[in-house]
């Protein structure tokens, strides 16, 4: 069945059925080939006949569904290119016949066929009587009604959300008016007639789905004032139609968001929605799905009318209370998430000065909400009595609960803004006191009764942390002493640590509370719980960051604690605690920086050397790489500010000069192990970024190590550091000698030359990471040294190398290369204005002319690569940059670029495009070019994107290559 290159494949029903059978099997190789075959089938001209044949056969339902889906794609993308215009009405006739056949189901096939008919109706611009033809063709029996309702539902969705494939903007606008606006009243009357036709029709969920779909096109007031409103609300009394009817009312409400334009409609809807409140208790007990739909309805009404509630809180209060009741009754937390947006939206208005009266009137509602949320935040009681597994093995429920708690935390912040932080914290304090009065005396090291009631207010306190100001002096001074007295329970200790870590900014303003808190955190490292140790390490980081001025006097003790605890911690916690203590070192007096860096880092360097000496296997080498990250954190954080005067020695850099030979030796020993190379380079990169010009004493040795390291290993990480040096020493020009700046550029050119040689010997496919890092480096070279790079002999080869990279299909190297190309084209664009104060106007003009000359020579090759990429090979994430580059070419050389595009499109593989399509596209492009309007020229970008997207959907890359669009191999003689 599977053909090789150059052999015509058969795409008949039997072959397709065989491929579908193969897809059900377990042989992955055969399944892959079958999948490739079916993809080719879907794009072939033979698919038209085959899909209709399968749909008229006795094939199984899944095969017919595949055929219907394929037919949908054919009508969407291939109608105008594979079906002659006189034969299109026959496609319509066949579709109507099939719809009649599948009116009774299966539903998925029927819906796909309705979508097919809708897409066909959009494209058949001379078909003016769509609704009458569809209704009359399908008949008047019950099954036909089902089919008509499906078609009516999908028509607005396809017109408004479907891609415009072959229609121009104007054609689509006209067709939208013909199919939707001009049919709206007729559709409403059809739906009214259907609803009145029988009791079953009046409660058919399809009816309400259809109304929902057309509410985008029909003014909501027309529906609300029609008999349909009573029918929709009456359907809430029927279990079958409840959810669809509730969703329909939610959509009506959503359409009234512009309050002032819909006052009359809201006045009709509000009392009817409030009248639904008694249903809450019933659906809570009987039907969770209906409970969910009802909560969504109340929440949507509240969000849509939030400004109206703020204006008339008394009038709308019953609606707010209905939402609150939905939250309060939600014992299993099934629906509360649908109210979060409402509480936020209402809060956004109530905090405004003009709505202060409404805020006061609704204060009690938010106070009740806090009480309800505190209850909902409680962990469940384990049914099995196993404290270690509160969810009895249900990991999904546990994860859902965690996510839900954080979302509730956001709503608690909303309550803080309405009530005031101290008032919310007072509820936390009260909840903790209530627990202590009831259960504190019963708690022991082994058992803490009802700890959930204590943990929930702790979690809520943590969630409110961002809202609490450093000046809060009412509740927190009462709360903080209680926190460090929490009973010995893992969940309580974890929650307490997280709270203390969250409030370190407040503690920095109230240092009298620091000592017991810090002691509590330090003592937590003695527990066996990994979760608590991780939390404690994170808390130490925040204490060191925010309270560093108070901890700096205890730096020796801090180092002893750090050295003692470090090896006991997991990797991520080692990094967090190191980040914290490095911050404390950074705030030491300038003349003590060297001493304290040495105090903290010498033991780390000794550990590094020991690990490096013992690293004989992969795990040992990874341990070296991980440990290097701790040294990097000190290099990153311990920075002398303000910088030392020019000519003076930087104490931090003085220390790194001592360490540099050791790092170089580690690097040289593990050049064949990328993780270690990357970590050493990362360390050096942060040294350069953090210390900038002060790094000058280390720079020559570093440059040598980077050059030899890259030459030996061909790893892109050596280019990262080169880029950092380029950036930081260029940004810091006033502190750097001109000779140093010149040396840096020479170093950059040497690295670039090395990379070009590698790219000449190997293809970019062999070095995708190096390719990415190289072009990110070249972007920096072009930004900081344009006056040197653009006139250099390397400029043209780098551009040619970029063209060869555009053959790749990986996102990262392509993205970096496209950014470089756009920056080059930016120099030649008419919109370019040099912002370099060290470049004269004449020098800048000379650089612009060099770039234009290069683009004139290489422009057609660039257009070929960009279009081939957008149509066939590029990942989707690269389209914006590729189309941006094409737009720049149109701005620089409009007529030449149009010619290049025209010639490129006519090189596309035979059978993948028709000449009339190219002619139509080029006509559109030239019309935009001839207007001399910047806006029209920018529309070229979207025109090309639409065209290439269509081509890409319609065809897959030919197996025998891209023919004349195939990219050429890069060669470098330098």
């Amino acid at each position: 069945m599977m053909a090789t290159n150059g052999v015509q494949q058969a795409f008949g029903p039997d072959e397709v059925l065989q491929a579908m059978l193969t897809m059900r099997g377990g042989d992955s190789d055969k399944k892959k080939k079958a999948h490739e075959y079916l993809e080719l089938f879907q794009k072939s001209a033979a698919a038209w006949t085959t899909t209709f044949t399968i749909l008229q056969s006795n094939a199984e339902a899944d095969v017919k569904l595949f055929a219907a889906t394929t037919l949908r794609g054919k009508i969407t993308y291939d109608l105008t290119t594979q079906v002659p215009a006189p034969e299109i009405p026959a496609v319509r006739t066949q579709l109507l016949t099939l719809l009649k056949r599948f009116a009774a189901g299966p539903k998925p096939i029927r819906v796909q066929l309705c979508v097919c008919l809708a897409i066909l109706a959009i494209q058949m611009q001379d078909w003016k009587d769509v609704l009458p033809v569809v209704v009359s063709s399908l008949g008047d029996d019950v099954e036909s009604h089902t089919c008509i309702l499906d078609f009516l539902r999908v028509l607005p969705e396809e017109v408004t959300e479907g891609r415009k494939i072959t229609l121009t903007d104007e054609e689509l606008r006209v067709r939208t008016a013909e199919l939707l606006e001009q049919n709206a009243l007729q559709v409403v009357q059809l739906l009214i007639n259907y609803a009145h036709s029988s009791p079953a029709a009046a409660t058919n969920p399809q009816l309400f789905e259809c109304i929902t779909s057309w509410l985008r096109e029909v003014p909501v007031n027309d529906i609300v004032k029609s008999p349909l409103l009573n029918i929709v609300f009456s359907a809430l009394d029927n279990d079958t139609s409840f959810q669809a009817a509730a969703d329909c009312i939610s959509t009506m409400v959503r359409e009234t968001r512009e309050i002032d334009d819909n006052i009359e409609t809201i006045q009709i809807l509000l009392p009817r929605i409030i009248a639904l409140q008694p249903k809450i208790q019933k659906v809570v007990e009987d039907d969770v799905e209906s409970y969910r739909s009802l909560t969504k309805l109340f929440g949507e009404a509240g969000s849509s009318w939030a400004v109206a509630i703020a204006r008339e809180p008394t009038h709308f209060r019953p609606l707010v209370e209905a939402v609150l009741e939905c939250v309060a009754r939600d014992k299993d937390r099934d629906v509360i998430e649908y109210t979060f947006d409402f509480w936020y939206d209402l809060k956004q208005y109530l905090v405004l000065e003009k709505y202060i009266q409404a805020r006061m009137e609704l204060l009690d509602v938010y106070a009740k909400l806090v009480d309800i949320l505190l209850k909902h935040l409680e962990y469940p009681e384990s049914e099995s009595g196993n404290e270690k597994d509160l969810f009895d093995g249900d990991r999904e429920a546990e994860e859902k609960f965690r996510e839900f708690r954080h979302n509730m935390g956001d709503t608690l912040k909303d309550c803080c803004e309405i009530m005031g932080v101290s008032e919310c914290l007072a509820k936390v304090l009260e909840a903790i006191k209530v627990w202590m009065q009831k259960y504190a005396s019963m708690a022991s090291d082994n058992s803490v009764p009802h700890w959930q009631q204590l943990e929930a207010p702790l979690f809520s306190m943590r969630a409110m942390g961002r809202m609490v100001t450093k000046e809060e002096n009412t509740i927190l001074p009462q709360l903080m002493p209680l926190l460090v007295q929490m009973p010995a329970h893992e969940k309580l200790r974890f929650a307490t640590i997280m709270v203390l870590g969250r409030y370190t900014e407040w503690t920095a303003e109230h240092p009298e509370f620091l000592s017991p808190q810090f002691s509590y955190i330090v003592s937590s490292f003695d527990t066996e719980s990994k979760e608590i140790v991780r939390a404690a390490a994170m808390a130490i980081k925040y204490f060191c960051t925010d309270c560093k001025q108070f901890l700096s006097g205890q730096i020796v003790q801090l180092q002893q604690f750090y050295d003692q605890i470090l090896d006991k911690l997991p990797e991520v916690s080692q990094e967090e605690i190191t980040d914290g203590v490095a911050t404390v070192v950074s705030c030491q007096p300038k003349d003590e920086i060297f001493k304290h860096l040495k105090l903290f880092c010498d033991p780390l360097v000794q550990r590094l050397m020991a690990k490096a000496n013992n690293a004989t296997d992969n795990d040992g080498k990874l341990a070296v790489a991980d440990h290097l990250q701790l040294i990097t954190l000190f290099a990153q954080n311990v920075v002398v500010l303000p910088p030392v005067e020019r000519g003076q020695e930087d104490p931090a850099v003085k220390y790194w000069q001592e360490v540099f030979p050791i790092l170089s030796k580690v690097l040289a020993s593990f050049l064949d192990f990328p993780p270690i190379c990357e970590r050493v380079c990362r360390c050096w990169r942060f040294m350069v970024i953090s210390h900038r010009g002060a790094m000058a004493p280390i720079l020559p040795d570093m440059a040598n190590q980077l050059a030899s390291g890259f030459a030996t290993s061909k790893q892109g990480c050596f280019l990262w550091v080169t880029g950092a040096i380029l950036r930081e020493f260029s940004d810091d020009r006033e502190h750097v000698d001109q000779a140093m700046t010149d040396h840096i550029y020479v170093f950059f050119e040497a690295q670039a030359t090395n990379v070009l040689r590698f790219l000449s010997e190997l293809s970019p496919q062999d070095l995708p990471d190096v390719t990415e890092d190289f072009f990110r480096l070249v972007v920096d070279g072009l930004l900081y040294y344009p006056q040197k790079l653009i006139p250099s002999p390397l400029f043209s080869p780098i551009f040619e190398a970029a063209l060869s990279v555009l053959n790749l299909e990986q996102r990262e190297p392509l993205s970096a290369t496209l950014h470089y190309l756009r920056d080059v084209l930016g120099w030649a664009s008419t919109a370019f204005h040099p912002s370099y104060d060290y470049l004269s106007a004449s020098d800048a003009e000379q650089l612009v002319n060099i770039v234009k000359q290069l683009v004139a020579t290489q422009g057609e090759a660039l257009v070929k690569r960009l279009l081939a990429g957008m149509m066939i090979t590029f990942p989707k994430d690269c389209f914006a940059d590729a189309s941006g580059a094409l737009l720049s070419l149109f701005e620089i050389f409009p007529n030449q670029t149009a010619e290049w595009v025209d010639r490129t499109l006519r090189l596309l593989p035979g059978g993948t495009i028709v000449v009339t399509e190219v002619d139509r596209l080029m006509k559109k492009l030239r019309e935009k070019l001839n207007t001399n309007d910047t806006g029209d020229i920018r529309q070229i970008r979207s025109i090309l994107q639409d065209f290439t997207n269509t081509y890409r959907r319609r065809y897959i890359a030919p197996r025998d290559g891209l023919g004349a669009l195939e990219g050429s191999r890069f060669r470098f003689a330098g």
Side-chain angles (χ1 to χ4, degrees):
M1 181 183 72
M2 307 306 163
T4 56
N5 288 354
V7 179
Q8 185 64 43
Q9 288 184 294
F11 291 120
D14 292 341
E15 289 82 6
V16 172
L17 287 169
Q18 183 57 48
M20 292 287 290
L21 285 172
T22 304
M23 290 295 291
R24 297 176 190 170
D27 189 319
S28 57
D29 288 339
K30 288 182 178 178
K31 285 172 75 171
K32 182 182 177 185
K33 289 179 181 177
H35 184 268
E36 290 171 354
Y37 168 83
L38 291 171
E39 276 191 329
L40 288 169
F41 160 71
Q42 288 184 312
K43 312 215 181 246
S44 71
W48 292 98
T49 305
T50 300
T51 51
F52 279 120
T53 303
I54 291 172
L55 285 164
Q56 290 162 354
S57 72
N58 294 321
E60 294 181 39
D62 64 325
V63 178
K64 289 181 179 178
L65 181 59
F66 172 74
T69 306
T70 299
L71 188 57
R72 173 182 178 173
K74 301 302 289 180
I75 294 171
T76 305
Y77 305 120
D78 299 336
L79 186 70
T80 56
T81 56
Q82 293 182 351
V83 181
E87 296 180 21
I88 292 177
V91 176
R92 175 182 62 191
T93 302
Q94 286 180 288
L95 269 177
L96 287 167
T97 303
L98 285 171
L99 269 174
K100 185 79 173 168
R101 177 187 178 111
F102 287 97
K107 182 180 177 180
I109 299 174
R110 183 181 69 228
V111 170
Q112 282 297 322
L113 292 173
C114 285
V115 172
C116 289
L117 189 60
I119 297 170
L120 184 68
I122 297 166
Q123 297 190 67
M124 285 184 70
Q125 296 174 69
D126 54 351
W127 184 13
K128 304 298 183 185
D129 54 350
V130 173
L131 278 190
V133 168
V134 172
V135 171
S136 61
S137 299
L138 293 177
D140 197 33
D141 53 77
V142 173
E143 291 174 347
S144 295
H145 289 165
T146 299
C147 203
I148 292 167
L149 287 171
D150 272 341
F151 176 74
L152 288 176
R153 177 178 62 80
V154 303
L155 183 62
E157 294 170 3
E158 293 305 317
V159 173
T160 57
E161 295 178 10
R163 290 285 298 161
K164 55 180 188 293
I165 300 303
T166 58
L167 303 186
T168 65
D169 290 347
E170 179 59 21
E171 287 170 339
L172 186 66
R173 188 191 63 75
V174 171
R175 199 63 182 140
T176 300
E178 291 174 348
L179 291 173
L180 302 184
E181 294 164 28
Q182 295 170 21
N183 281 324
L185 293 178
Q186 185 182 349
V187 168
V188 171
Q189 195 55 52
L190 266 174
L191 297 177
I192 292 171
N193 294 344
Y194 171 74
H196 288 151
S197 65
S198 71
T203 56
N204 183 355
Q206 276 188 292
L207 169 66
F208 308 112
E209 291 167 3
C210 206
I211 297 170
T212 299
S213 184
W214 278 84
L215 269 165
R216 305 169 188 168
E217 315 306 326
V218 180
V220 65
N221 208 31
D222 291 354
I223 299 287
V224 168
K225 288 186 172 180
S226 78
L228 289 175
L229 186 68
N230 282 334
I231 291 165
V232 175
F233 272 93
S234 298
L236 293 172
D237 296 325
N238 184 289
D239 292 343
T240 305
S241 53
F242 187 99
Q243 291 167 43
D247 291 345
C248 184
I249 298 167
S250 293
T251 305
M252 289 184 201
V253 167
R254 202 175 301 123
E255 292 297 317
T256 64
R257 277 183 174 268
E258 298 297 328
I259 301 296
D260 294 329
D261 297 335
N262 292 284
I263 292 174
E264 184 184 5
T265 306
I266 293 170
Q267 286 174 340
I268 296 170
L269 288 173
L270 178 63
R272 302 200 67 158
I273 290 174
I274 290 172
L276 300 174
Q277 186 171 359
K279 288 185 178 292
I280 298 174
Q281 184 174 357
K282 180 177 183 295
V283 294
V284 166
E285 296 167 357
D286 297 344
D287 182 1
V288 70
E289 289 304 321
S290 295
Y291 182 23
R292 185 174 282 115
S293 295
L294 194 59
T295 304
K296 283 182 182 177
L297 170 54
F298 284 127
E300 185 64 59
S303 286
S304 298
W305 299 338
V307 66
I309 298 171
R311 290 175 185 171
E312 300 181 62
T314 305
H315 186 56
F316 281 87
R317 185 181 176 100
L319 175 60
V320 180
E321 290 179 338
V323 180
L324 188 69
E325 183 180 345
C326 287
V327 175
R329 292 185 179 277
D330 190 18
K331 298 279 189 294
D332 296 322
R333 310 176 190 89
D334 289 317
V335 306
I336 187 174
E337 64 187 282
Y338 303 113
T339 71
F340 291 150
D341 285 346
F342 162 66
W343 299 115
Y344 172 79
D345 290 338
L346 182 57
K347 178 266 298 186
Q348 291 290 79
Y349 288 106
L350 295 182
V351 294
L352 300 177
E353 190 64 33
K354 65 188 292 188
Y355 297 124
I356 186 68
Q357 183 58 41
R359 180 176 169 183
M360 299 310 296
E361 285 190 38
L362 295 173
L363 205 59
D364 66 311
V365 174
Y366 276 89
K368 290 174 187 173
L369 179 62
V370 173
D371 294 333
I372 294 167
L373 292 179
L374 281 173
K375 191 65 185 168
H376 282 323
L377 282 170
E378 289 179 15
Y379 271 98
E381 301 270 356
S382 174
E383 293 179 10
S384 64
N386 181 5
E387 285 282 307
K388 297 289 185 184
D389 189 2
L390 299 170
F391 295 86
D392 299 319
D394 190 341
R395 298 281 79 86
E396 185 179 343
E398 184 175 3
E399 186 56 39
K400 183 181 175 185
F401 177 70
R402 288 178 189 275
E403 182 182 350
F404 160 80
R405 286 181 117 206
H406 287 290
N407 289 334
M408 275 206 295
D410 291 336
T411 302
L412 277 170
K413 295 183 185 77
D414 297 333
C415 296
C416 286
E417 290 194 64
I418 298 298
M419 298 170 59
V421 173
S422 295
E423 286 72 12
C424 285
L425 286 174
K427 287 184 173 290
V428 171
L429 177 61
E430 181 60 25
I432 292 174
K433 284 181 174 179
V434 166
W435 184 92
M436 288 191 161
Q437 288 166 4
K438 284 185 177 179
Y439 306 115
S441 61
M442 301 160 59
S444 68
D445 289 345
N446 299 319
S447 173
V448 181
H450 303 291
W451 61 266
Q452 290 92 337
Q453 295 175 26
L454 187 53
E455 192 274 346
L458 290 174
F459 180 88
S460 70
M461 185 179 173
R462 170 185 160 198
M464 296 175 198
R466 187 164 58 85
M467 310 303 298
V468 180
T469 66
K470 292 182 280 190
E471 291 74 33
E472 207 291 323
N473 290 316
T474 310
I475 306 297
L476 284 179
Q478 299 177 63
L479 267 170
M480 287 301 179
L482 296 177
L483 295 185
V484 294
Q485 300 173 38
M486 284 293 141
H489 184 282
E490 182 177 347
K491 285 272 194 280
L492 293 176
R493 182 173 278 270
F494 176 81
T496 302
I497 292 169
M498 296 300 283
V499 170
L500 295 177
R502 190 69 187 80
Y503 282 77
T504 49
E505 290 184 3
W506 182 88
T507 303
E509 291 293 315
H510 302 78
E512 65 271 22
F513 294 99
L514 174 59
S515 182
Q517 290 182 19
F518 199 76
S519 297
Y520 184 88
I521 301 295
V522 168
S523 68
S524 299
F525 285 98
D526 295 331
T527 64
E528 294 181 5
S529 166
K530 293 179 180 178
E531 195 173 34
I532 285 178
V533 169
R534 284 196 294 267
M538 187 186 297
I540 289 283
K541 172 184 172 180
Y542 292 130
F543 271 100
C544 288
T545 301
D546 294 326
C547 305
K548 55 181 178 284
Q549 69 272 32
F550 301 109
L551 294 171
S552 61
Q554 303 169 28
I555 194 161
V556 174
Q557 297 93 315
L558 186 62
Q559 191 278 329
Q560 290 169 350
F561 163 71
Y562 172 69
D563 194 49
Q564 174 191 347
I565 201 72
L566 188 65
D567 294 330
K568 301 175 184 177
L569 300 177
E571 179 192 336
V572 66
S573 297
Q574 286 185 357
E575 291 183 16
E576 284 174 338
I577 201 167
T578 301
D579 203 3
V581 297
T583 307
V584 178
V585 174
S586 72
C587 72
Q588 298 302 301
K590 190 180 296 186
D591 56 358
E592 294 188 11
I593 289 279
F594 175 82
K595 178 179 71 175
H596 287 124
L597 253 183
K598 197 169 180 62
L599 176 69
F600 276 85
C601 290
D602 273 2
L604 292 180
V605 173
Q606 288 161 12
R607 282 182 174 91
L608 175 68
M609 290 189 290
K611 288 175 185 288
N613 289 333
N614 295 323
T616 54
D617 58 9
N618 198 63
D619 288 344
K621 293 175 184 178
L622 286 173
V624 173
D626 292 339
H627 195 71
L628 279 162
Q629 174 62 9
L630 306 184
I631 296 172
T632 301
L633 288 167
F634 278 97
Q636 189 176 351
N637 285 310
V638 183
V639 181
V640 176
L641 292 174
V644 296
E645 294 295 323
R646 191 168 179 177
Q648 288 186 352
E649 186 176 47
D650 183 302
V653 173
K654 178 185 175 184
Y655 179 73
W656 297 123
Q657 278 181 274
E658 288 187 5
V659 173
F660 189 83
I662 298 170
L663 296 178
S664 298
K665 187 174 180 181
V666 170
L667 177 66
S669 302
F670 296 98
L671 274 174
D672 59 345
F673 192 69
I676 289 180
C677 294
E678 289 173 5
R679 285 298 172 90
V680 172
C681 285
R682 190 171 187 272
C683 183
W684 290 351
R685 178 171 170 266
F686 275 112
M687 284 183 189
V688 172
I689 291 171
S690 300
H691 305 291
R692 306 186 77 180
M695 282 289 292
I698 300 178
L699 210 56
D701 288 340
M702 186 180 286
N704 289 335
Q705 292 292 333
L706 294 172
S708 62
F710 180 74
T712 304
S713 71
K714 299 185 182 67
Q715 289 180 43
C717 56
F718 295 96
L719 303 180
W720 305 343
V721 194
T722 306
I725 293 171
L726 213 63
R727 283 191 301 276
E728 300 306 328
F729 279 80
S730 297
D731 277 350
D732 211 17
R733 286 173 190 271
E734 68 274 15
H735 297 121
V736 180
D737 294 330
Q738 182 60 43
M740 174 69 79
T741 303
D742 292 340
H743 286 315
I744 289 169
Y745 178 75
V746 170
F747 169 51
F748 159 74
E749 275 205 342
Q751 291 285 65
T753 302
N754 272 336
V755 177
L756 291 173
R757 285 178 184 146
F758 289 136
L759 290 178
S760 183
E761 294 164 8
L762 301 167
S763 72
Q765 285 90 338
D766 298 320
L767 293 166
D769 294 340
V770 173
T771 302
E772 176 193 354
D773 295 322
F774 173 60
F775 280 102
R776 295 202 189 286
L777 171 61
V778 176
V779 164
D780 289 330
L782 189 62
L783 179 62
Y784 295 111
Y785 290 92
Q787 78 285 8
K788 291 179 179 288
L789 178 56
I790 291 175
S792 80
L794 289 181
F795 189 54
S796 183
I798 291 172
F799 193 91
E800 291 167 20
L803 295 182
S804 73
V805 175
L806 297 183
N807 294 316
L808 294 180
E809 297 181 17
Q810 295 108 310
R811 180 176 63 84
E812 289 81 5
L814 277 174
S815 181
T817 307
L818 287 166
H819 287 173
Y820 157 73
L821 288 167
R822 292 191 71 179
D823 286 355
V824 171
L825 295 172
W827 273 88
S829 171
T830 52
F832 173 73
H833 299 289
S835 58
Y836 301 94
D837 51 12
Y838 55 89
L839 283 181
S840 66
S842 61
D843 286 345
E845 186 178 354
Q846 182 185 357
L847 298 181
V848 169
N849 289 334
I850 294 171
V851 175
K852 280 189 174 180
Q853 188 177 347
L854 176 66
V855 174
T857 306
Q858 299 287 348
E860 185 163 10
L862 177 57
V863 167
K864 277 185 183 178
R865 295 306 330 130
L866 291 171
L867 283 174
M870 289 176 71
M871 289 188 288
I872 301 168
T873 58
F874 286 175
K876 196 171 184 180
D877 290 349
C878 296
F879 283 18
D881 282 320
S883 61
L886 281 171
L887 179 63
S888 295
L889 283 167
F890 272 105
E891 290 172 342
I892 300 163
F893 298 126
N895 295 321
Q896 295 96 313
T897 304
E899 287 300 318
W900 296 334
V901 169
D902 195 337
R903 288 205 289 267
T904 298
L905 294 178
R906 297 183 197 280
L907 294 174
L908 286 165
T912 66
I913 196 166
V914 292
V915 174
T916 52
E917 276 188 286
V918 179
D919 293 341
R920 187 163 60 239
L921 173 69
M922 294 312 302
K923 183 183 176 187
K924 279 188 195 175
L925 292 179
R926 290 193 170 100
E927 283 174 0
K928 298 297 181 187
L929 286 175
N930 292 334
T931 61
N932 291 322
D933 184 315
T934 306
D936 277 350
I937 289 177
R938 292 196 173 279
Q939 284 182 24
I940 286 173
R941 183 176 186 173
S942 58
I943 291 170
L944 283 170
Q945 277 185 317
D946 282 346
F947 176 83
T948 54
N949 283 342
T950 303
Y951 184 93
R952 195 180 186 94
R953 285 193 187 97
R954 194 187 300 155
Y955 302 105
I956 53 178
R959 287 168 173 254
D960 52 356
L962 305 181
L965 285 180
E966 201 76 58
S968 58
R969 180 72 186 272
F970 169 68
R971 298 294 178 197
F972 178 60

